[in-house]
């Protein structure tokens, strides 16, 4: 069965063909005239061999328009990604729409709304909730950036991936910082799932070693890539929407060129996290309308390139609370991205930026995803849906439709019933304790956690493989000096103490 | 293997849980033809409607299901009632309720829901319909010797009609022996107290509990 929602109508467009052409020409011009800065010898050599203008001293690479256009053409417009449980296999593009989560460093206290580091249990609970929610189709690299308990920085996400593999069978993403994808990709391989390689750009026009290496890993292990672009308009990109678009496209393309040189026809998607800069305090202006203008135009151009797009900027908001502002800052960019052509939306669980996330929010987001999914299905126009015979049969008052078989069938088809929205009348609401959607989401979280079972759990041999790879990683970073003696002493104690607890 | 009368009663139940008016009428006619005790048919229908009501209470079934089931039962009901009258069979019930939407108001859905669940609970319910005048309520209360009068009003404009009915009942000396429950979109707890009703509940399942409470069962 195909996972995700189907977009059943033409995508919403904001640019004219001439405008798209101007943006494309500008992108080619930047790549040919200025090129990009690549801190990766292996990649420089491959670019040189492919005919790029490469300066090994300055690490500058310039691309010919023909190579760029040829590379774009080689990418498949849709592809499958295999999960450990085939029921969670993904189809990326062109009219299938998927949802996943946006990360947080911290959880929030639901009474004070203050952020704090989650415990391992809270981290695991968020994974379990994301695994259980029907409209979460895959999991991002982090639900949280680690958890409390004196884990060395470099091991936080590797330990996190192990938790995801133990508590979920959905596809996840391998981030490339500090080469940790070497280990997380091995883990994925060991348990029989695919994982997205995840090269990130650094704006403007710069590529660091680890991120570029993700492309080599993708080729070596034949993995799909999700290339991430996160410039800030006015800071690391032009303040004009179209200028930021030219820059972000120019930054995504060198990865596509490299990936297609390494493995022609490789599966690629592009993720857009371009945000305007908040000119009051320098933070990204999460959830503002400029986010959506960029997203809609981005989707239109990449759809023309035939490459699936991912909208990352519909997840983070500027709100610190689960409130009205958070609601509109999520729903608006998510809906606009969905109708303009996104293949995946990174909506779930985030509250403020990349700082806070919470399973309650993920449960609320599941209703947003459901609503958008229903909207994408569109309107069926058929004899049965038109209901001419029925309307003639019922006639004027006292006729009504509530007892009709047509109603019993069609209301369920046409209505999306949110799971945790407050839908009561005033008297019911007063009688039932004046609950809000947040109260219902808490109740649903408790139900999910009480019932959650990973399907299927890891086998003993898969669990041993995960443990072995974790050990390899610890050893590797000890030797590299990324885990200090002091950190190691504490970490070892933590590992020993936690060896008996639930994985 | 089902015996013949049981099969007919099973079909009657099925007609209700499958919202099939034609089948309900057909099964009711069979009950009469085969001389099955009409009280048994009534029990079968009550059981079926209770099943639908329970599903509704659990959030597994919805308004269209409840109204669909009520519709199917209403289709069969006149045939079964006629048979009860003809045979002089005695029906057992928790109590007798006269229900309707007040004069000037033609909204039937909430009232139908409540009536359906009251029947499912085991009450003998006389649903007068919509746009019912005070005199019509009074007449029915007398005719059926009702324990409870259940009135519905959806619109603010017609809510005050409930007060009129209650005053009329007082004037006619029937207020003391009839418990009165009110409901509908326009009604609140406060309003119910103001007009001198004995009880109010915002939900259909709540209305059933209220009815039991009012007659002390």
């Amino acid at each position: 069965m195909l996972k995700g929602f189907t977009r059943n109508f033409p995508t919403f467009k904001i640019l004219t063909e001439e405008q798209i052409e101007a943006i494309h020409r500008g992108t080619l011009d930047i790549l040919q005239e200025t090129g990009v800065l690549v801190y990766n010898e292996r990649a420089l050599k491959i670019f040189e061999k492919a005919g790029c203008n490469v300066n090994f001293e300055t690490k500058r690479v310039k691309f010919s328009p023909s190579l760029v256009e040829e590379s774009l053409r080689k990418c498949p417009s849709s592809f499958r990604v295999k999960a450990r449980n085939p029921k969670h296999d993904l189809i990326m593009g062109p009219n299938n729409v998927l949802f996943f989560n946006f990360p947080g460093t911290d959880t929030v206290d639901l009474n004070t709304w203050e952020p704090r580091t989650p415990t391992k249990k809270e981290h695991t609970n968020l994974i379990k909730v994301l695994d259980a929610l029907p409209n979460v189709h895959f999991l991002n690299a982090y639900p949280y950036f680690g958890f409390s308990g004196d884990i060395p920085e470099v091991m936080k996400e590797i330990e996190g991936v192990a938790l995801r593999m133990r508590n979920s069978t959905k596809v996840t993403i391998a981030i490339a910082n500090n080469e940790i994808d070497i280990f997380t990709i091995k883990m994925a391989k060991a348990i029989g799932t695919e994982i997205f390689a995840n090269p990130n750009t650094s704006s403007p026009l710069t590529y660091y070693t680890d991120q570029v290496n993700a492309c080599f890993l993708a080729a070596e292990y034949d993995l799909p890539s999700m290339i991430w672009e996160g410039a800030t308009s006015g800071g690391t990109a032009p303040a004009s929407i179209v200028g930021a678009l030219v820059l972000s496209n120019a930054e995504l393309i060198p990865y596509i060129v490299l990936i297609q040189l390494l493995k022609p026809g490789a599966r690629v998607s592009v993720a857009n996290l371009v945000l305007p800069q908040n000119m009051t305090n320098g933070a990204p202006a999460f959830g503002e309308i400029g986010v959506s203008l960029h997203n809609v135009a981005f989707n239109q151009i990449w759809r023309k390139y035939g490459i699936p797009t991912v909208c990352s900027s519909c997840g983070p908001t500027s709100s610190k609370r689960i409130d009205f502002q958070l609601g509109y800052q999520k729903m608006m960019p998510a809906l606009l991205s969905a109708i303009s052509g996104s293949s995946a939306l990174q909506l779930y669980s985030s509250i403020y930026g990349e700082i806070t996330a919470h399973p309650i929010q993920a449960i609320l987001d599941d209703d947003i995803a459901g609503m958008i999914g229903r909207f994408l299905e569109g309107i069926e126009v058929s004899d049965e849906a038109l209901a001419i015979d029925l309307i003639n049969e019922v006639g004027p008052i006292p006729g009504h439709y509530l007892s009709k078989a047509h109603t019993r069938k069609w209301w369920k088809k046409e209505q999306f019933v949110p799971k945790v929205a407050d839908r009561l009348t005033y008297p019911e609401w007063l009688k039932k304790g004046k609950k809000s959607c947040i109260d219902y989401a808490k109740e649903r979280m408790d139900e999910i956690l009480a019932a959650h079972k990973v399907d299927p759990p890891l086998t003993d041999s898969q669990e041993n493989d995960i443990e072995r790879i974790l050990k390899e990683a610890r050893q590797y970073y000890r030797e590299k000096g990324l885990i200090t003696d002091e950190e190691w002493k504490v970490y070892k104690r933590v590992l020993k103490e936690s060896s008996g607890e639930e994985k | 293997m089902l015996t013949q009368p049981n099969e007919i009663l099973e079909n009657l139940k099925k007609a209700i849980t499958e919202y099939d008016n034609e089948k309900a009428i057909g099964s009711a006619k069979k009950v009469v033809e085969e001389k099955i005790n009409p009280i048994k048919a009534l029990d079968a229908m009550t059981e079926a409607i209770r099943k639908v009501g329970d599903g509704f209470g659990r959030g597994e079934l919805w308004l269209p299901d409840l109204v669909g089931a009520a519709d199917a039962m209403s289709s069969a009901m006149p045939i079964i009632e006629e048979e009860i009258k003809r045979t002089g069979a005695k029906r057992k019930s928790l109590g007798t309720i006269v229900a309707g939407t007040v004069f000037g108001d033609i909204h039937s859905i909430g009232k139908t829901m409540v009536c359906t669940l009251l029947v499912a609970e085991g009450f003998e319910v006389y649903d007068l319909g919509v746009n019912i005048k005070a005199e019509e309520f009074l007449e029915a209360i007398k005719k059926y010797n009702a324990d409870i009068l259940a009135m519905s009003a959806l619109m603010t404009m017609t809510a005050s009609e409930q007060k009129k009915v209650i005053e009329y009942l007082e004037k006619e000396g029937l207020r003391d022996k009839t418990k009165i429950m009110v409901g509908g979109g326009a009604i609140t707890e406060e309003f119910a107290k103001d007009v001198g009703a004995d009880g109010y509940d915002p939900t259909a399942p709540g209305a059933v509990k209220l009815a039991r409470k009012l007659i002390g069962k």
Side-chain angles (χ1 to χ4, degrees), chain B residues 49-197:
Chain B
I49 213 90
R50 187 179 302 137
K51 203 170 144 193
V52 177
D54 287 350
F56 179 75
R58 286 193 304 269
E60 291 160 10
L61 293 176
W62 307 82
L63 210 45
D65 308 312
L66 199 59
V67 178
D71 230 35
M73 187 169 77
S74 309
S75 313
M77 205 54 149
I79 301 165
I80 301 298
E81 274 183 339
E82 186 56 40
E83 184 67 358
I84 291 174
K85 218 154 79 192
R86 195 186 64 78
T87 57
K90 280 261 172 288
R91 67 201 289 184
K92 50 186 184 312
S93 91
L94 279 175
T96 305
I97 300 178
V98 163
T101 303
V102 295
F103 180 65
D105 201 328
I106 48 88
H107 294 92
S108 65
I109 289 164
K111 182 242 341 147
T112 307
M113 270 173 76
V114 172
C115 289
T116 305
L117 295 183
L118 286 169
V119 170
E121 191 72 7
F123 285 97
E124 190 176 334
V125 180
Y126 295 94
D127 182 355
L128 307 184
V130 298
N131 201 21
I132 303 300
K133 291 187 179 138
E135 307 87 74
E136 293 175 280
F137 278 122
L138 184 82
E139 202 179 301
I141 289 167
K142 281 185 190 160
K143 181 174 168 193
Y144 301 117
N145 195 22
D147 303 299
I148 296 175
L149 168 65
M151 284 185 290
S152 171
L154 190 85
M155 301 183 296
T156 329
M157 275 161 61
T158 56
S160 54
E161 182 70 20
Q162 296 186 335
K163 193 175 181 185
K164 268 196 212 157
V165 177
I166 294 171
E167 283 167 359
Y168 190 72
L169 248 59
E170 271 165 8
K171 212 172 79 188
E172 295 290 318
L174 276 172
R175 176 66 186 93
D176 290 343
K177 65 175 293 264
T178 318
K179 297 286 182 190
I180 296 174
M181 51 195 270
V182 292
I187 312 304
T188 63
E189 189 90 55
E190 211 183 345
F191 176 89
K193 272 187 199 139
D194 281 356
V195 298

Side-chain angles (χ1 to χ4, degrees), chain A residues 339-360:
Chain A
I339 64 171
S340 61
S342 284
S343 295
L345 295 132
Q346 198 176 2
L347 174 74
Y348 279 74
S349 72
S350 46
I351 299 175
Y352 174 78
E354 282 182 282
I355 305 296
T356 44
H358 202 285
I360 297 284

